[in-house]
């Protein structure tokens, strides 16, 4: 039976009759035998296999080239070589699939840009193997975090008729041929539909029934921002809590980011070592820092004052009442506070209709969690639970209440204070791994002008 290399390498005793299967990374020939490094993606490390020229299958060794798939059976013995505990003494080897010299991952040191052009093969590289193992472990950690706290997982729809964020950055979904702006009643769903930008509105309906819920799924934004932190398709985790205010929301958001950092330190240690060596020397230190220290909290008005006092020449000037730019967010976390920061109480004018209006009439209970190196990873708020005020907000944002009748019903029948947030999973992964471009933490990136694979 096949054993994953990760388990083989974790063995505490020598072992006979082990079968491993994977892809050849390198082969070195000596007189009468060869060393073959095999990786199966289950862990960062390769298993060294020593193949005597006399074992069955060794006649094909010349085809054990970089990228070829092979199957090996042998005995696990203590390795005399430095830097590795075990090696496999092959008793039989078998070529499963050839890879000729055109296999593009021949040598180390390809650029990330080049590797993006071979997104179908890059998971076989050390870096991307590490990134996507970490992504998988973190996805598990997300569910664990919420399930342990009695949050109920809700699958919200991917096709929707409402623009949750009101930013008009939706991808249309239509089966209309020719004139797609024709009569919506003749379209597939009998109305205009889009790919969702957020599962929040639907999550709210479930929170107002099941108390604490969360969603974890793909979301889509047709924003034409070609930056290292924006993707057209990204995954978002959106918890929503009934009987919860802004303070409770910030508590959960900060605890969540800390728990993900702790999980990475504890469960992705081998891959983290690679990130530390080749991607970001500070990554482990930064995670330890985040786990240990409380986040800073600062109202938007104070954040703006700090930025104005900073004397920094920003590309985008700091304007009270305007959105913080990513350079402003990074100044706050990296230079001023030198820690993650939660900014709250933003101006009403720059935030969506669903956020709760503060008593000052000018700000809403919005909060963004900003982290060093990235800026915003979380955006959330306490929701407007008062029907009249919500209607007023919709008027303010020029939305038609008729389109949101079901959302308004939540305020008509047993309304409760409630709050939630959205965490961009890829932004979190960038923070936890140090990887600087969102295209490199998602298996197949969708960005403006690019949807290959
Ligand atoms: O701040 P946003 O727009 O908030 C919402 O969508 C709310 N409905 C969430 C809620 O309250 N339930 O987006 C939330 C997060 C951002 O903080 C960011 O991490 C990520 O989603 N995000 C993106 N990530 C990658 N590419 C993009 N284009 C993103 N836009 C937002
Ligand atoms: Mg936001």
């Amino acid at each position: 039976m096949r054993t994953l290399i990760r388990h083989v390498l974790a063995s505490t005793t020598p072992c006979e009759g082990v079968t491993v299967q994977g892809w050849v990374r390198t082969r070195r020939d000596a007189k009468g035998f060869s060393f073959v490094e095999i990786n199966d993606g289950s862990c960062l490390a390769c298993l060294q296999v020593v193949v005597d020229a006399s074992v069955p299958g060794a006649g094909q060794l010349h085809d054990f080239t970089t990228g070829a798939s092979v199957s090996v059976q042998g005995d696990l013995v203590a390795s005399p070589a430095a830097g590795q505990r075990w090696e496999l003494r092959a008793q039989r080897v078998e070529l499963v699939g050839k890879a000729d010299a055109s296999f593009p991952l021949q040598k180390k040191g390809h650029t990330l840009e080049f590797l993006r052009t071979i997104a179908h093969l890059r998971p076989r590289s050390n870096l991307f193997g590490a990134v996507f193992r970490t992504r998988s472990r973190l996805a598990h950690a997300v569910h664990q975090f919420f399930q342990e706290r009695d949050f109920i997982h809700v699958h919200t729809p991917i096709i929707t008729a409402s623009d949750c964020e009101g930013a008009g950055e939706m991808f249309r979904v239509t089966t209309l041929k020719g004139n797609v702006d024709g009569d919506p009643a003749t379209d597939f769903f009998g109305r205009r539909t889009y790919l969702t930008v957020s599962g929040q509105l639907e999550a709210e309906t479930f929170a107002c029934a099941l108390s604490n819920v969360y969603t974890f799924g793909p979301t889509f934004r047709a924003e034409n921002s070609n930056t290292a932190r924006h993707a057209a398709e990204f995954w978002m985790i959106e918890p929503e809590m009934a009987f919860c205010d802004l303070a409770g929301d910030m508590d959960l958001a900060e605890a969540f980011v800390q728990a993900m950092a702790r999980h990475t330190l504890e469960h992705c240690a081998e891959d983290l070592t690679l990130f530390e060596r080749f991607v970001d020397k500070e990554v482990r230190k930064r995670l330890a820092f985040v786990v240990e220290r409380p986040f800073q909290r600062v109202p938007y008005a104070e954040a703006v004052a700090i930025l104005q006092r900073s004397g920094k020449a920003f590309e985008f000037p700091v304007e009270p009442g305007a959105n913080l730019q990513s350079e402003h967010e990074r100044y706050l976390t990296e230079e001023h506070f030198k820690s993650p920061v939660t900014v709250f109480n933003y101006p009403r004018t720059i935030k969506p209709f669903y956020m709760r209006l503060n008593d000052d009439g000018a700000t809403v209970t919005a909060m963004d969690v900003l982290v060093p190196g990235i800026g915003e990873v979380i955006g959330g708020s306490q929701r407007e639970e008062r029907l009249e005020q919500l209607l007023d907000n919709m008027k303010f944002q020029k939305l038609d209440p008729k389109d949101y009748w079901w959302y308004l019903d939540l305020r008509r029948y047993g309304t409760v204070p409630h709050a939630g947030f959205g965490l961009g999973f890829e932004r979190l992964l960038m923070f936890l791994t140090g990887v600087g471009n969102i295209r490199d933490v998602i298996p197949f990136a969708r960005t403006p002008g690019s949807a290959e694979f």
Side-chain angles (χ1 to χ4, degrees), residues 7 9 29 48 52 83 113 143 147 174 221 249 262 286 310 319 344 370 399:
H7 294 299
L9 292 176
D29 295 327
Q48 173 166 287
D52 195 283
E113 289 76 13
H143 285 293
Q147 295 285 338
T174 180
R221 296 197 184 177
D249 200 34
R262 190 176 305 115
R286 197 173 59 228
S310 72
E319 269 180 67
F344 61 98
L370 318 177
L399 296 172

Side-chain angles (χ1 to χ4, degrees), residues 143-432:
H143 285 293
Q144 198 181 338
F145 178 88
F146 287 110
Q147 295 285 338
E148 279 173 356
R149 285 166 178 74
D150 286 316
F151 280 66
I152 291 162
H153 184 201
V154 181
H155 296 121
T156 50
I158 287 173
I159 298 173
T160 176
S162 41
D163 182 0
C164 173
E165 295 305 297
E169 292 163 338
M170 317 260 284
F171 288 101
R172 263 293 282 289
V173 174
T174 180
T175 53
L176 290 178
K177 306 277 186 302
N179 180 16
V180 293
D181 293 322
D183 182 4
T186 63
D187 205 343
F188 188 91
F189 296 105
R191 51 165 64 236
R192 291 225 194 289
T193 50
Y194 309 87
L195 295 178
T196 187
V197 296
S198 160
Q200 177 195 322
L201 303 187
E202 290 90 352
E204 279 185 55
T205 71
F206 270 72
C208 293
L210 306 180
S211 290
N212 293 336
V213 302
Y214 70 105
T215 71
F216 185 1
T219 49
F220 308 85
R221 296 197 184 177
E223 45 187 338
N224 208 352
S225 18
N226 233 323
T227 79
R229 305 173 313 122
H230 288 88
E233 175 177 326
F234 62 98
W235 283 61
M236 192 158 40
I237 296 125
E238 295 184 274
E240 191 70 33
M241 295 169 285
F243 304 100
C244 181
D245 61 9
L246 181 67
D249 200 34
M250 294 196 281
D251 288 344
L252 184 78
E254 294 167 358
F256 183 36
V257 173
Q258 285 184 314
M260 295 304 103
R262 190 176 305 115
H263 191 92
T264 308
L265 287 169
E266 287 172 7
H267 298 277
C268 308
E270 188 192 26
D271 291 326
L272 201 52
T273 306
L274 178 105
F275 302 139
E276 208 174 13
R277 275 189 65 195
F278 296 107
V279 180
D280 176 358
K281 285 186 190 53
E282 301 294 315
V283 66
R284 195 185 297 264
K285 234 194 280 171
R286 197 173 59 228
L287 298 190
F289 181 90
V290 166
V291 168
E292 281 161 20
R293 256 158 275 226
F295 290 24
Q296 302 288 323
R297 286 186 188 174
V298 55
Y300 166 89
E302 201 178 313
V304 167
I306 290 169
L307 291 164
Q308 286 177 323
R309 280 200 307 266
S310 72
K312 276 256 318 185
F314 293 110
E315 186 187 341
F316 297 92
V318 185
E319 269 180 67
N323 261 316
L324 297 182
Q325 299 291 329
S326 118
E327 56 175 339
H328 305 146
E329 296 175 344
R330 294 186 57 173
Y331 173 82
L332 291 171
T333 59
E334 290 162 31
E335 296 185 48
H336 187 81
F337 290 106
K338 298 190 166 54
S339 93
V341 186
T342 308
V343 181
F344 61 98
N345 288 348
Y346 282 75
R348 176 190 198 190
T349 45
I350 56 170
K351 290 294 181 183
F353 74 99
Y354 55 71
M355 294 189 178
R356 192 178 197 278
L357 189 67
N358 281 317
D359 292 343
D360 62 13
T363 61
V364 287
T365 52
M367 62 98 177
D368 279 0
V369 178
L370 318 177
V371 295
I374 311 288
E376 176 190 344
V377 276
I378 286 182
S381 64
Q382 184 176 340
R383 320 306 189 188
E384 184 54 76
E385 86 284 13
R386 299 161 296 187
L387 179 62
E388 289 310 315
Q389 189 56 55
L390 185 58
L391 286 166
D392 189 68
N393 290 0
M394 295 180 80
K395 210 161 113 191
F396 189 71
Q397 311 269 5
K398 299 193 172 54
L399 296 172
D400 186 350
K402 280 206 290 297
D403 294 338
Y404 296 85
W405 64 272
W406 52 274
Y407 186 71
L408 291 163
D409 265 4
L410 299 180
R411 280 74 181 166
R412 291 194 176 99
Y413 306 118
T415 193
V416 291
H418 60 290
F421 62 81
L423 172 135
F425 191 46
E426 287 76 16
R427 297 238 182 124
L428 175 76
L429 289 168
M430 291 169 70
F431 176 63
L432 298 176

